[in-house]
Amino acid sequence: MIATLLTIVFLIAMWVAVLAAPVLQNRGSSNKGGDSIKTFQRQLATLERATPYRSAAPRSEGRSRNTPLAGPVGRRPLTSAQLAAQRRRNTLLVLAGTALASLVGTLTMGGWFLAVHLVADALLVTFVVLMLRTVRMAAEREMKVAFLPHRESGAEPTALLRDVARSRRG
């Protein structure tokens, strides 16, 4: 009984620490009547540090919009689709770990862990179903896209459409 109570108190304390840290950090960094441009630059610098890849140009030189972003040495920068897949994979691992940990808690201590385990299982199953649906929709959308040649190839899209219309009639 005491072990279960201590475990629940520990879990609540961990959630409070995880959820309260960003709130306290934002409250402490709020600028009362300060320069809005400096605040914007500070927020932009924070976002740049949070990206998974660094800028190829040093900050002091200034970066133009066309400067490529470099990833870790010898690797290309990740595309948005790759970043989304990485986020999905990380979320799936966290949900699976939570379901496994709550299963172990249910088997060893029982009680409230059964409810936590059922919620974790429901979240995991829902996430997997939605993830599969999203991946299937993306694959279907990719198959339906009609690829037209680039302008550099010299072909005109309207001429291609006329050729397709003629081939359907004939």
Side-chain angles (χ1 to χ4, degrees):
M1 179 68 178
I2 291 183
T4 304
L5 184 62
L6 288 174
T7 305
I8 291 173
V9 168
F10 176 74
L11 288 174
I12 291 172
M14 292 302 293
W15 275 109
V16 167
V18 167
L19 296 175
V23 172
L24 294 175
Q25 187 178 25
N26 287 341
R27 185 175 290 171
S29 68
S30 65
N31 208 358
K32 295 175 179 75
D35 187 12
S36 63
I37 294 174
K38 291 218 183 275
T39 303
F40 176 73
Q41 289 174 343
R42 188 171 38 253
Q43 290 172 348
L44 187 60
T46 303
L47 287 174
E48 284 178 351
R49 284 192 309 268
T51 58
Y53 37 81
R54 297 179 318 257
S55 166
R59 181 80 175 143
S60 60
E61 294 177 14
R63 188 174 61 204
S64 70
R65 292 182 186 192
N66 297 329
T67 302
L69 295 174
V73 178
R75 294 178 63 189
R76 290 184 164 169
L78 298 175
T79 63
S80 61
Q82 290 170 331
L83 288 172
Q86 191 175 30
R87 283 191 306 269
R88 284 192 298 266
R89 186 173 38 252
N90 290 343
T91 304
L92 183 64
L93 287 174
V94 167
L95 287 173
T98 304
L100 185 63
S102 64
L103 175 64
V104 170
T106 300
L107 294 176
T108 57
M109 294 183 219
W112 287 98
F113 277 102
L114 179 61
V116 171
H117 179 64
L118 292 176
V119 169
D121 285 346
L123 289 173
L124 179 62
V125 169
T126 303
F127 181 77
V128 168
V129 167
L130 291 175
M131 185 178 68
L132 289 174
R133 181 175 178 260
T134 302
V135 169
R136 284 182 186 152
M137 285 174 49
E140 183 179 335
R141 186 172 40 246
E142 188 175 328
M143 287 174 32
K144 289 182 178 179
V145 172
F147 293 99
L148 296 175
H150 293 284
R151 291 183 181 170
E152 292 84 27
S153 68
E156 294 182 28
T158 53
L160 289 173
L161 291 175
R162 278 182 277 167
D163 291 345
V164 169
R166 284 185 200 141
S167 66
R168 286 184 184 172
R169 283 187 232 152

